[in-house]
C-alpha cells in the first residue's frame, strides 16, 4: 500500500474517477461499475475498481480541498501507475448565465492556493489546465448524450467560506464560471508526473443568487456528469 491508499499493486486501474466525497465513490462503483470491489478503506477515503464497458476503471475519493486531493492524485500516479484522472464534483456558479444543475468542464483553473506559489518560488503564476484530448472527448461525449456542458475556466479556492465575495465578482468579469476546491492541484500534479487530468462539475449552488439544488436534483445531475466522465475515461 501507499501511505494513504490501502491497495495492493495492480488493484487500481490506470483510469480513475475522483469524486471528493468517498460515499460518492461507493455510489458510483455500485451504480455503474461491473464487478466492483473495494481496494481501500484507509481513513474512510474509499476506493473501488470495476469495469465500465469492459474497461477497468477505479473510483477514488479525494476528500475536500487541494491538500487532500493532492495526496490522492500524487499516490495514484506515482505509486499505482494511474495515467488518467477525471475529477467529478460540484461547484458554485459565479456567472449569471450558469444555472443550477448545469454541467461544467474546467479548461483551466485559477487558484488562491499557495501550493503552486511555493512550487514556483513565487516567481511564476503557473496556469493549471485540463488535458486537451480528454477535454475534447468529454465535449464529444456530452454532445452524443444530448447533455449541455459548458467549457471554461474555474476557480479552485482554498476556503469554502470566503470573506472576499467581491473577488468572485472580479473573476466572473474575467470569464471564470464557477468555484470548487480541487482542480488546480489535480491539473498541476498530473502535469508534473505526465498523467492526463480533467475536471467535470455540476452546479450545486449559485454564489450570486444564493440558490441551491435539492438532494434529489444533485443526484440526477451527478448521474449525467458521471456518465460523461465514464464514457470519456474509457474512450
Ligand atoms: N465553493 C467552493 N466549492 C464548492 C462550492 C462553493 O460555493 N459549491 C460546491 N463546491
Amino acid at each position: 500500500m501507499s501511505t494513504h491508499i490501502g491497495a495492493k499493486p495492480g488493484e487500481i486501474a490506470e483510469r480513475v474517477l475522483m469524486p471528493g466525497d468517498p460515499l460518492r465513490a461507493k455510489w458510483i462503483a455500485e451504480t455503474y461499475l461491473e464487478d466492483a470491489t473495494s481496494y481501500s478503506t484507509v481513513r474512510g477515503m474509499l476506493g473501488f475498481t470495476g469495469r465500465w464497458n469492459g474497461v477497468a476503471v477505479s473510483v477514488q475519493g479525494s476528500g475536500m480541498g487541494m491538500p487532500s486531493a493532492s495526496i490522492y492524485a500524487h499516490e495514484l500516479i506515482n505509486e499505482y501507475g494511474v495515467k488518467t484522472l477525471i475529477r467529478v464534483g460540484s461547484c458554485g456558479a459565479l456567472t449569471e448565465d450558469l444555472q443550477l444543475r448545469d454541467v461544467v468542464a474546467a479548461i483551466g483553473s485559477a487558484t488562491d492556493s499557495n501550493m503552486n506559489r511555493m512550487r514556483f518560488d513565487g516567481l511564476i503564476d503557473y496556469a493549471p489546465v485540463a488535458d486537451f484530448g480528454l477535454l475534447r472527448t468529454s465535449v464529444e461525449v456530452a454532445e452524443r448524450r444530448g447533455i449541455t456542458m459548458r467549457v471554461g475556466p474555474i476557480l479552485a479556492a482554498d476556503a469554502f467560506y470566503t470573506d472576499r465575495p467581491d473577488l468572485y465578482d472580479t473573476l466572473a468579469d474575467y470569464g471564470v464560471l464557477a468555484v470548487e476546491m480541487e482542480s488546480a492541484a489535480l491539473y498541476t500534479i498530473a502535469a508534473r508526473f505526465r498523467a492526463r487530468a480533467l475536471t467535470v462539475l455540476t452546479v450545486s449552488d449559485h454564489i450570486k443568487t444564493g440558490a441551491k439544488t435539492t438532494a434529489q436534483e444533485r443526484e440526477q445531475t451527478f448521474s449525467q456528469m458521471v456518465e460523461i466522465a465514464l464514457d470519456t475515461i474509457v474512450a
Side-chain angles (χ1 to χ4, degrees), residues 64-112:
M64 287 178 281
M66 286 177 268
S68 180
S70 295
I71 289 171
Y72 294 97
H74 185 105
E75 291 181 20
L76 287 170
I77 296 166
N78 290 299
E79 312 262 347
Y80 293 100
V82 170
K83 305 271 188 258
T84 309
L85 304 97
I86 301 185
R87 163 165 157 69
V88 286
S90 61
C91 61
L94 299 181
T95 58
E96 304 276 5
D97 59 343
L98 267 185
Q99 312 280 325
L100 289 181
R101 307 177 51 188
D102 280 354
V103 181
V104 175
I107 191 169
S109 183
T111 185
D112 60 11

mmCIF file of all heavy atoms in Angstrom, residues 64-112:
data_model
loop_
_atom_site.group_PDB
_atom_site.id
_atom_site.type_symbol
_atom_site.label_atom_id
_atom_site.label_comp_id
_atom_site.label_asym_id
_atom_site.label_seq_id
_atom_site.Cartn_x
_atom_site.Cartn_y
_atom_site.Cartn_z
ATOM 1 N N MET A 64 -11.911 16.846 0.512
ATOM 2 C CA MET A 64 -12.157 18.228 0.098
ATOM 3 C C MET A 64 -10.891 19.064 0.197
ATOM 4 O O MET A 64 -10.161 18.971 1.187
ATOM 5 C CB MET A 64 -13.231 18.848 0.983
ATOM 6 C CG MET A 64 -14.613 18.316 0.682
ATOM 7 S SD MET A 64 -15.833 19.038 1.789
ATOM 8 C CE MET A 64 -15.556 18.071 3.248
ATOM 9 N N GLY A 65 -10.657 19.877 -0.825
ATOM 10 C CA GLY A 65 -9.549 20.823 -0.781
ATOM 11 C C GLY A 65 -8.292 20.276 -1.428
ATOM 12 O O GLY A 65 -8.113 19.066 -1.590
ATOM 13 N N MET A 66 -7.415 21.198 -1.787
ATOM 14 C CA MET A 66 -6.224 20.824 -2.557
ATOM 15 C C MET A 66 -5.194 20.028 -1.775
ATOM 16 O O MET A 66 -4.597 19.107 -2.337
ATOM 17 C CB MET A 66 -5.637 22.065 -3.222
ATOM 18 C CG MET A 66 -6.529 22.464 -4.390
ATOM 19 S SD MET A 66 -6.060 23.965 -5.245
ATOM 20 C CE MET A 66 -7.033 25.158 -4.345
ATOM 21 N N PRO A 67 -4.972 20.296 -0.477
ATOM 22 C CA PRO A 67 -4.030 19.425 0.242
ATOM 23 C C PRO A 67 -4.468 17.960 0.229
ATOM 24 O O PRO A 67 -3.646 17.069 -0.020
ATOM 25 C CB PRO A 67 -4.033 20.010 1.661
ATOM 26 C CG PRO A 67 -4.347 21.462 1.446
ATOM 27 C CD PRO A 67 -5.355 21.463 0.330
ATOM 28 N N SER A 68 -5.744 17.691 0.455
ATOM 29 C CA SER A 68 -6.215 16.309 0.453
ATOM 30 C C SER A 68 -6.181 15.716 -0.957
ATOM 31 O O SER A 68 -5.612 14.637 -1.183
ATOM 32 C CB SER A 68 -7.645 16.239 1.017
ATOM 33 O OG SER A 68 -8.095 14.903 1.023
ATOM 34 N N ALA A 69 -6.735 16.419 -1.925
ATOM 35 C CA ALA A 69 -6.775 15.889 -3.297
ATOM 36 C C ALA A 69 -5.365 15.641 -3.832
ATOM 37 O O ALA A 69 -5.130 14.687 -4.580
ATOM 38 C CB ALA A 69 -7.532 16.858 -4.207
ATOM 39 N N SER A 70 -4.409 16.485 -3.420
ATOM 40 C CA SER A 70 -3.017 16.325 -3.876
ATOM 41 C C SER A 70 -2.422 15.004 -3.413
ATOM 42 O O SER A 70 -1.678 14.356 -4.152
ATOM 43 C CB SER A 70 -2.131 17.442 -3.311
ATOM 44 O OG SER A 70 -2.522 18.673 -3.815
ATOM 45 N N ILE A 71 -2.733 14.628 -2.188
ATOM 46 C CA ILE A 71 -2.199 13.370 -1.647
ATOM 47 C C ILE A 71 -2.664 12.201 -2.507
ATOM 48 O O ILE A 71 -1.870 11.346 -2.923
ATOM 49 C CB ILE A 71 -2.676 13.175 -0.186
ATOM 50 C CG1 ILE A 71 -1.965 14.162 0.727
ATOM 51 C CG2 ILE A 71 -2.437 11.735 0.276
ATOM 52 C CD1 ILE A 71 -2.518 14.205 2.153
ATOM 53 N N TYR A 72 -3.966 12.171 -2.805
ATOM 54 C CA TYR A 72 -4.500 11.022 -3.552
ATOM 55 C C TYR A 72 -4.026 11.034 -4.995
ATOM 56 O O TYR A 72 -3.636 9.991 -5.534
ATOM 57 C CB TYR A 72 -6.030 10.976 -3.407
ATOM 58 C CG TYR A 72 -6.385 10.684 -1.974
ATOM 59 C CD1 TYR A 72 -6.716 11.698 -1.081
ATOM 60 C CD2 TYR A 72 -6.270 9.389 -1.477
ATOM 61 C CE1 TYR A 72 -6.955 11.442 0.255
ATOM 62 C CE2 TYR A 72 -6.509 9.114 -0.131
ATOM 63 C CZ TYR A 72 -6.854 10.145 0.719
ATOM 64 O OH TYR A 72 -7.060 9.868 2.050
ATOM 65 N N ALA A 73 -4.006 12.204 -5.635
ATOM 66 C CA ALA A 73 -3.537 12.273 -7.029
ATOM 67 C C ALA A 73 -2.069 11.847 -7.101
ATOM 68 O O ALA A 73 -1.679 11.047 -7.965
ATOM 69 C CB ALA A 73 -3.717 13.687 -7.572
ATOM 70 N N HIS A 74 -1.273 12.348 -6.176
ATOM 71 C CA HIS A 74 0.165 12.026 -6.169
ATOM 72 C C HIS A 74 0.389 10.518 -6.021
ATOM 73 O O HIS A 74 1.149 9.911 -6.781
ATOM 74 C CB HIS A 74 0.853 12.780 -5.028
ATOM 75 C CG HIS A 74 2.343 12.602 -5.005
ATOM 76 N ND1 HIS A 74 3.215 13.566 -5.415
ATOM 77 C CD2 HIS A 74 3.101 11.537 -4.639
ATOM 78 C CE1 HIS A 74 4.455 13.104 -5.308
ATOM 79 N NE2 HIS A 74 4.408 11.884 -4.828
ATOM 80 N N GLU A 75 -0.281 9.912 -5.052
ATOM 81 C CA GLU A 75 -0.048 8.479 -4.800
ATOM 82 C C GLU A 75 -0.640 7.616 -5.913
ATOM 83 O O GLU A 75 -0.043 6.601 -6.305
ATOM 84 C CB GLU A 75 -0.607 8.099 -3.419
ATOM 85 C CG GLU A 75 0.229 8.739 -2.312
ATOM 86 C CD GLU A 75 -0.225 8.402 -0.901
ATOM 87 O OE1 GLU A 75 -0.947 7.385 -0.708
ATOM 88 O OE2 GLU A 75 0.119 9.155 0.033
ATOM 89 N N LEU A 76 -1.789 8.003 -6.447
ATOM 90 C CA LEU A 76 -2.376 7.215 -7.547
ATOM 91 C C LEU A 76 -1.421 7.167 -8.738
ATOM 92 O O LEU A 76 -1.191 6.110 -9.338
ATOM 93 C CB LEU A 76 -3.714 7.821 -7.993
ATOM 94 C CG LEU A 76 -4.895 7.618 -7.041
ATOM 95 C CD1 LEU A 76 -6.078 8.470 -7.485
ATOM 96 C CD2 LEU A 76 -5.308 6.142 -6.955
ATOM 97 N N ILE A 77 -0.847 8.319 -9.070
ATOM 98 C CA ILE A 77 0.028 8.390 -10.247
ATOM 99 C C ILE A 77 1.381 7.737 -9.954
ATOM 100 O O ILE A 77 1.866 6.900 -10.728
ATOM 101 C CB ILE A 77 0.224 9.863 -10.682
ATOM 102 C CG1 ILE A 77 -1.106 10.475 -11.126
ATOM 103 C CG2 ILE A 77 1.254 9.950 -11.808
ATOM 104 C CD1 ILE A 77 -1.084 11.998 -11.261
ATOM 105 N N ASN A 78 1.963 8.105 -8.833
ATOM 106 C CA ASN A 78 3.353 7.697 -8.585
ATOM 107 C C ASN A 78 3.502 6.316 -7.960
ATOM 108 O O ASN A 78 4.524 5.662 -8.137
ATOM 109 C CB ASN A 78 4.053 8.745 -7.710
ATOM 110 C CG ASN A 78 4.273 10.026 -8.472
ATOM 111 O OD1 ASN A 78 4.971 10.034 -9.483
ATOM 112 N ND2 ASN A 78 3.651 11.097 -8.035
ATOM 113 N N GLU A 79 2.493 5.865 -7.224
ATOM 114 C CA GLU A 79 2.624 4.562 -6.557
ATOM 115 C C GLU A 79 1.811 3.478 -7.258
ATOM 116 O O GLU A 79 2.081 2.300 -7.100
ATOM 117 C CB GLU A 79 2.151 4.658 -5.101
ATOM 118 C CG GLU A 79 2.735 5.836 -4.355
ATOM 119 C CD GLU A 79 3.936 5.468 -3.507
ATOM 120 O OE1 GLU A 79 4.181 4.288 -3.289
ATOM 121 O OE2 GLU A 79 4.600 6.413 -3.064
ATOM 122 N N TYR A 80 0.798 3.886 -8.016
ATOM 123 C CA TYR A 80 -0.072 2.876 -8.645
ATOM 124 C C TYR A 80 -0.118 2.985 -10.167
ATOM 125 O O TYR A 80 -0.886 2.277 -10.812
ATOM 126 C CB TYR A 80 -1.487 2.976 -8.060
ATOM 127 C CG TYR A 80 -1.538 2.570 -6.594
ATOM 128 C CD1 TYR A 80 -1.558 3.531 -5.590
ATOM 129 C CD2 TYR A 80 -1.536 1.230 -6.223
ATOM 130 C CE1 TYR A 80 -1.586 3.171 -4.252
ATOM 131 C CE2 TYR A 80 -1.558 0.852 -4.886
ATOM 132 C CZ TYR A 80 -1.585 1.824 -3.906
ATOM 133 O OH TYR A 80 -1.608 1.455 -2.589
ATOM 134 N N GLY A 81 0.669 3.877 -10.741
ATOM 135 C CA GLY A 81 0.766 3.955 -12.202
ATOM 136 C C GLY A 81 -0.481 4.459 -12.907
ATOM 137 O O GLY A 81 -0.706 4.151 -14.080
ATOM 138 N N VAL A 82 -1.290 5.255 -12.194
ATOM 139 C CA VAL A 82 -2.505 5.793 -12.823
ATOM 140 C C VAL A 82 -2.123 6.811 -13.902
ATOM 141 O O VAL A 82 -1.221 7.629 -13.718
ATOM 142 C CB VAL A 82 -3.425 6.426 -11.746
ATOM 143 C CG1 VAL A 82 -4.567 7.205 -12.389
ATOM 144 C CG2 VAL A 82 -3.962 5.324 -10.838
ATOM 145 N N LYS A 83 -2.804 6.697 -15.042
ATOM 146 C CA LYS A 83 -2.455 7.550 -16.204
ATOM 147 C C LYS A 83 -3.509 8.622 -16.485
ATOM 148 O O LYS A 83 -3.216 9.633 -17.110
ATOM 149 C CB LYS A 83 -2.331 6.671 -17.460
ATOM 150 C CG LYS A 83 -1.351 5.526 -17.326
ATOM 151 C CD LYS A 83 0.042 5.981 -17.733
ATOM 152 C CE LYS A 83 1.004 4.833 -17.793
ATOM 153 N NZ LYS A 83 1.866 4.805 -16.604
ATOM 154 N N THR A 84 -4.753 8.345 -16.099
ATOM 155 C CA THR A 84 -5.845 9.269 -16.435
ATOM 156 C C THR A 84 -6.736 9.461 -15.217
ATOM 157 O O THR A 84 -7.195 8.476 -14.625
ATOM 158 C CB THR A 84 -6.696 8.697 -17.592
ATOM 159 O OG1 THR A 84 -5.833 8.330 -18.670
ATOM 160 C CG2 THR A 84 -7.708 9.700 -18.082
ATOM 161 N N LEU A 85 -6.963 10.737 -14.860
ATOM 162 C CA LEU A 85 -7.808 11.031 -13.694
ATOM 163 C C LEU A 85 -8.877 12.044 -14.091
ATOM 164 O O LEU A 85 -8.559 13.078 -14.688
ATOM 165 C CB LEU A 85 -6.964 11.632 -12.561
ATOM 166 C CG LEU A 85 -5.753 10.811 -12.090
ATOM 167 C CD1 LEU A 85 -4.476 11.303 -12.776
ATOM 168 C CD2 LEU A 85 -5.579 10.906 -10.582
ATOM 169 N N ILE A 86 -10.110 11.728 -13.786
ATOM 170 C CA ILE A 86 -11.170 12.705 -14.016
ATOM 171 C C ILE A 86 -11.868 12.984 -12.689
ATOM 172 O O ILE A 86 -12.459 12.092 -12.077
ATOM 173 C CB ILE A 86 -12.197 12.225 -15.067
ATOM 174 C CG1 ILE A 86 -11.497 11.943 -16.408
ATOM 175 C CG2 ILE A 86 -13.298 13.281 -15.245
ATOM 176 C CD1 ILE A 86 -12.430 11.570 -17.540
ATOM 177 N N ARG A 87 -11.759 14.245 -12.260
ATOM 178 C CA ARG A 87 -12.491 14.648 -11.059
ATOM 179 C C ARG A 87 -13.950 14.867 -11.417
ATOM 180 O O ARG A 87 -14.265 15.511 -12.427
ATOM 181 C CB ARG A 87 -11.869 15.930 -10.493
ATOM 182 C CG ARG A 87 -12.775 16.646 -9.520
ATOM 183 C CD ARG A 87 -12.092 17.699 -8.687
ATOM 184 N NE ARG A 87 -13.043 18.688 -8.199
ATOM 185 C CZ ARG A 87 -13.994 18.456 -7.276
ATOM 186 N NH1 ARG A 87 -14.123 17.258 -6.730
ATOM 187 N NH2 ARG A 87 -14.809 19.417 -6.900
ATOM 188 N N VAL A 88 -14.838 14.327 -10.608
ATOM 189 C CA VAL A 88 -16.276 14.596 -10.738
ATOM 190 C C VAL A 88 -16.728 15.219 -9.415
ATOM 191 O O VAL A 88 -16.472 14.664 -8.351
ATOM 192 C CB VAL A 88 -17.086 13.315 -11.064
ATOM 193 C CG1 VAL A 88 -16.887 12.899 -12.506
ATOM 194 C CG2 VAL A 88 -16.735 12.148 -10.141
ATOM 195 N N GLY A 89 -17.347 16.377 -9.500
ATOM 196 C CA GLY A 89 -17.707 17.042 -8.256
ATOM 197 C C GLY A 89 -18.757 18.109 -8.460
ATOM 198 O O GLY A 89 -19.397 18.185 -9.507
ATOM 199 N N SER A 90 -18.898 18.938 -7.428
ATOM 200 C CA SER A 90 -19.888 20.016 -7.517
ATOM 201 C C SER A 90 -19.166 21.359 -7.444
ATOM 202 O O SER A 90 -18.001 21.432 -7.055
ATOM 203 C CB SER A 90 -20.908 19.897 -6.395
ATOM 204 O OG SER A 90 -20.254 19.997 -5.149
ATOM 205 N N CYS A 91 -19.868 22.401 -7.860
ATOM 206 C CA CYS A 91 -19.263 23.735 -7.853
ATOM 207 C C CYS A 91 -20.335 24.782 -7.577
ATOM 208 O O CYS A 91 -21.531 24.530 -7.731
ATOM 209 C CB CYS A 91 -18.574 24.026 -9.187
ATOM 210 S SG CYS A 91 -19.672 24.023 -10.615
ATOM 211 N N GLY A 92 -19.871 25.951 -7.164
ATOM 212 C CA GLY A 92 -20.744 27.108 -7.015
ATOM 213 C C GLY A 92 -20.583 27.991 -8.252
ATOM 214 O O GLY A 92 -19.463 28.297 -8.652
ATOM 215 N N ALA A 93 -21.705 28.389 -8.855
ATOM 216 C CA ALA A 93 -21.642 29.211 -10.069
ATOM 217 C C ALA A 93 -21.292 30.649 -9.720
ATOM 218 O O ALA A 93 -21.803 31.206 -8.742
ATOM 219 C CB ALA A 93 -22.977 29.163 -10.801
ATOM 220 N N LEU A 94 -20.416 31.260 -10.531
ATOM 221 C CA LEU A 94 -20.027 32.653 -10.325
ATOM 222 C C LEU A 94 -20.691 33.591 -11.327
ATOM 223 O O LEU A 94 -20.780 34.787 -11.077
ATOM 224 C CB LEU A 94 -18.501 32.808 -10.449
ATOM 225 C CG LEU A 94 -17.634 32.021 -9.459
ATOM 226 C CD1 LEU A 94 -16.159 32.299 -9.714
ATOM 227 C CD2 LEU A 94 -17.997 32.379 -8.025
ATOM 228 N N THR A 95 -21.083 33.049 -12.482
ATOM 229 C CA THR A 95 -21.648 33.916 -13.533
ATOM 230 C C THR A 95 -23.160 33.736 -13.613
ATOM 231 O O THR A 95 -23.690 32.642 -13.380
ATOM 232 C CB THR A 95 -21.048 33.591 -14.915
ATOM 233 O OG1 THR A 95 -21.297 32.221 -15.214
ATOM 234 C CG2 THR A 95 -19.560 33.827 -14.939
ATOM 235 N N GLU A 96 -23.844 34.842 -13.955
ATOM 236 C CA GLU A 96 -25.314 34.853 -14.001
ATOM 237 C C GLU A 96 -25.856 33.843 -15.007
ATOM 238 O O GLU A 96 -26.948 33.309 -14.838
ATOM 239 C CB GLU A 96 -25.814 36.252 -14.419
ATOM 240 C CG GLU A 96 -25.334 37.386 -13.546
ATOM 241 C CD GLU A 96 -26.197 37.563 -12.316
ATOM 242 O OE1 GLU A 96 -27.106 36.752 -12.110
ATOM 243 O OE2 GLU A 96 -25.930 38.525 -11.555
ATOM 244 N N ASP A 97 -25.095 33.612 -16.086
ATOM 245 C CA ASP A 97 -25.647 32.770 -17.162
ATOM 246 C C ASP A 97 -25.521 31.277 -16.880
ATOM 247 O O ASP A 97 -25.974 30.463 -17.671
ATOM 248 C CB ASP A 97 -25.036 33.146 -18.514
ATOM 249 C CG ASP A 97 -23.526 32.988 -18.522
ATOM 250 O OD1 ASP A 97 -22.932 32.910 -17.423
ATOM 251 O OD2 ASP A 97 -22.953 32.939 -19.617
ATOM 252 N N LEU A 98 -24.926 30.897 -15.760
ATOM 253 C CA LEU A 98 -24.939 29.475 -15.382
ATOM 254 C C LEU A 98 -26.153 29.220 -14.497
ATOM 255 O O LEU A 98 -26.486 30.045 -13.631
ATOM 256 C CB LEU A 98 -23.690 29.106 -14.597
ATOM 257 C CG LEU A 98 -22.472 28.556 -15.334
ATOM 258 C CD1 LEU A 98 -21.416 28.159 -14.313
ATOM 259 C CD2 LEU A 98 -22.807 27.376 -16.214
ATOM 260 N N GLN A 99 -26.783 28.075 -14.709
ATOM 261 C CA GLN A 99 -27.960 27.702 -13.925
ATOM 262 C C GLN A 99 -27.587 26.562 -12.967
ATOM 263 O O GLN A 99 -26.655 25.812 -13.236
ATOM 264 C CB GLN A 99 -29.069 27.158 -14.840
ATOM 265 C CG GLN A 99 -29.365 28.000 -16.050
ATOM 266 C CD GLN A 99 -30.240 29.176 -15.699
ATOM 267 O OE1 GLN A 99 -31.101 29.066 -14.836
ATOM 268 N NE2 GLN A 99 -29.988 30.301 -16.350
ATOM 269 N N LEU A 100 -28.388 26.415 -11.922
ATOM 270 C CA LEU A 100 -28.256 25.236 -11.073
ATOM 271 C C LEU A 100 -28.360 24.002 -11.949
ATOM 272 O O LEU A 100 -29.144 23.983 -12.895
ATOM 273 C CB LEU A 100 -29.387 25.185 -10.033
ATOM 274 C CG LEU A 100 -29.339 26.211 -8.907
ATOM 275 C CD1 LEU A 100 -30.510 25.998 -7.969
ATOM 276 C CD2 LEU A 100 -28.022 26.152 -8.150
ATOM 277 N N ARG A 101 -27.576 22.975 -11.647
ATOM 278 C CA ARG A 101 -27.584 21.682 -12.329
ATOM 279 C C ARG A 101 -26.821 21.671 -13.645
ATOM 280 O O ARG A 101 -26.651 20.615 -14.249
ATOM 281 C CB ARG A 101 -29.013 21.156 -12.561
ATOM 282 C CG ARG A 101 -29.846 21.114 -11.300
ATOM 283 C CD ARG A 101 -31.257 20.666 -11.561
ATOM 284 N NE ARG A 101 -31.256 19.427 -12.340
ATOM 285 C CZ ARG A 101 -32.334 18.869 -12.848
ATOM 286 N NH1 ARG A 101 -33.512 19.410 -12.678
ATOM 287 N NH2 ARG A 101 -32.255 17.748 -13.530
ATOM 288 N N ASP A 102 -26.364 22.825 -14.128
ATOM 289 C CA ASP A 102 -25.558 22.820 -15.354
ATOM 290 C C ASP A 102 -24.289 21.996 -15.132
ATOM 291 O O ASP A 102 -23.772 21.926 -14.015
ATOM 292 C CB ASP A 102 -25.146 24.251 -15.745
ATOM 293 C CG ASP A 102 -26.263 24.999 -16.446
ATOM 294 O OD1 ASP A 102 -27.312 24.379 -16.726
ATOM 295 O OD2 ASP A 102 -26.093 26.211 -16.710
ATOM 296 N N VAL A 103 -23.814 21.384 -16.231
ATOM 297 C CA VAL A 103 -22.557 20.634 -16.169
ATOM 298 C C VAL A 103 -21.449 21.519 -16.757
ATOM 299 O O VAL A 103 -21.637 22.156 -17.792
ATOM 300 C CB VAL A 103 -22.670 19.301 -16.942
ATOM 301 C CG1 VAL A 103 -21.365 18.512 -16.838
ATOM 302 C CG2 VAL A 103 -23.834 18.465 -16.410
ATOM 303 N N VAL A 104 -20.319 21.548 -16.066
ATOM 304 C CA VAL A 104 -19.197 22.403 -16.465
ATOM 305 C C VAL A 104 -17.938 21.542 -16.590
ATOM 306 O O VAL A 104 -17.648 20.737 -15.708
ATOM 307 C CB VAL A 104 -18.937 23.493 -15.389
ATOM 308 C CG1 VAL A 104 -17.693 24.307 -15.722
ATOM 309 C CG2 VAL A 104 -20.151 24.401 -15.232
ATOM 310 N N ALA A 105 -17.193 21.713 -17.685
ATOM 311 C CA ALA A 105 -15.864 21.099 -17.795
ATOM 312 C C ALA A 105 -14.833 22.210 -17.654
ATOM 313 O O ALA A 105 -14.918 23.233 -18.345
ATOM 314 C CB ALA A 105 -15.710 20.384 -19.129
ATOM 315 N N ALA A 106 -13.862 22.012 -16.775
ATOM 316 C CA ALA A 106 -12.890 23.062 -16.459
ATOM 317 C C ALA A 106 -11.698 22.991 -17.402
ATOM 318 O O ALA A 106 -10.872 22.086 -17.318
ATOM 319 C CB ALA A 106 -12.412 22.911 -15.017
ATOM 320 N N ILE A 107 -11.616 23.975 -18.314
ATOM 321 C CA ILE A 107 -10.488 24.009 -19.258
ATOM 322 C C ILE A 107 -9.208 24.419 -18.540
ATOM 323 O O ILE A 107 -8.110 24.000 -18.899
ATOM 324 C CB ILE A 107 -10.814 24.962 -20.431
ATOM 325 C CG1 ILE A 107 -9.802 24.811 -21.559
ATOM 326 C CG2 ILE A 107 -10.898 26.411 -19.985
ATOM 327 C CD1 ILE A 107 -10.209 25.524 -22.834
ATOM 328 N N GLY A 108 -9.370 25.230 -17.510
ATOM 329 C CA GLY A 108 -8.218 25.667 -16.733
ATOM 330 C C GLY A 108 -8.695 26.143 -15.378
ATOM 331 O O GLY A 108 -9.894 26.341 -15.172
ATOM 332 N N SER A 109 -7.744 26.335 -14.478
ATOM 333 C CA SER A 109 -8.129 26.553 -13.098
ATOM 334 C C SER A 109 -7.266 27.637 -12.445
ATOM 335 O O SER A 109 -6.074 27.428 -12.220
ATOM 336 C CB SER A 109 -7.971 25.217 -12.369
ATOM 337 O OG SER A 109 -8.388 25.329 -11.058
ATOM 338 N N ALA A 110 -7.887 28.794 -12.197
ATOM 339 C CA ALA A 110 -7.217 29.820 -11.393
ATOM 340 C C ALA A 110 -7.272 29.374 -9.935
ATOM 341 O O ALA A 110 -8.127 28.565 -9.566
ATOM 342 C CB ALA A 110 -7.932 31.158 -11.558
ATOM 343 N N THR A 111 -6.379 29.870 -9.120
ATOM 344 C CA THR A 111 -6.410 29.428 -7.722
ATOM 345 C C THR A 111 -5.876 30.495 -6.774
ATOM 346 O O THR A 111 -5.009 31.289 -7.154
ATOM 347 C CB THR A 111 -5.602 28.116 -7.537
ATOM 348 O OG1 THR A 111 -5.758 27.666 -6.190
ATOM 349 C CG2 THR A 111 -4.122 28.306 -7.833
ATOM 350 N N ASP A 112 -6.415 30.497 -5.559
ATOM 351 C CA ASP A 112 -5.860 31.341 -4.499
ATOM 352 C C ASP A 112 -4.964 30.518 -3.565
ATOM 353 O O ASP A 112 -4.479 31.017 -2.562
ATOM 354 C CB ASP A 112 -6.973 32.036 -3.704
ATOM 355 C CG ASP A 112 -7.927 31.060 -3.028
ATOM 356 O OD1 ASP A 112 -7.640 29.836 -2.984
ATOM 357 O OD2 ASP A 112 -8.978 31.506 -2.549
#
